[in-house]
């Protein structure tokens, strides 16, 4: 069965950096577009970044462009999100998932979510 295990979150000061990882199993990883999502308290989950099967970034939400970088290691079935110049508004629980494009939105192509990794940014 598919497993998605996010890690790397934590508490950081505004302007700081974090690198999130998402280890996957049970997924034809190298054949899947992968994405990061986030959900802040009281808000809907939103897609943050998407990476192609070959490792090229395909999408970033406007608010993270030039600050976040998505990447992947197909040999390790792992997707990463390097987050720099963090802002308080980046605070959320971050999730990874295989993705597909639905009209103008990126959505989870699978049926499960991992436990997520929380990111807290102090001002």
């Amino acid at each position: 069965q598919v497993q998605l295990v996010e890690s790397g979150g934590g508490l950081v000061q505004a302007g700081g950096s974090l690198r999130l990882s998402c280890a996957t199993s049970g997924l034809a990883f190298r054949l899947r577009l992968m994405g990061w999502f986030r959900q802040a308290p009281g808000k809907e989950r939103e897609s943050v970044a998407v990476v192609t099967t070959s490792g090229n970034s395909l999408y970033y939400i406007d608010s993270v462009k030039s600050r976040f970088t998505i990447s992947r290691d197909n040999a390790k079935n792992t997707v990463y999100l390097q987050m720099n110049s963090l802002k308080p508004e980046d605070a959320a629980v971050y999730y990874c998932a295989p993705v597909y494009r639905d009209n103008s939105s990126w959505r989870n192509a699978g049926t499960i979510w991992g436990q997520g990794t929380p990111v807290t940014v102090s001002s």
Side-chain angles (χ1 to χ4, degrees), residues 52-83:
T52 67
T53 55
S54 59
N56 295 312
S57 58
L58 186 59
Y59 166 81
Y60 292 104
I61 193 171
D62 284 347
S63 59
V64 309
K65 287 180 180 177
S66 78
R67 299 189 297 119
F68 289 12
T69 302
I70 189 171
S71 61
R72 66 191 294 160
D73 185 335
N74 287 340
K76 295 182 178 180
N77 294 337
T78 300
V79 60
Y80 304 97
L81 187 68
Q82 177 67 44
M83 307 189 296

Side-chain angles (χ1 to χ4, degrees), residues 8-31:
L11 172 63
V12 64
Q13 287 188 330
S17 298
L18 286 173
R19 189 192 193 210
L20 307 185
S21 299
C22 174
T24 76
S25 61
L27 186 64
F29 182 81
R30 63 182 65 245
L31 301 180

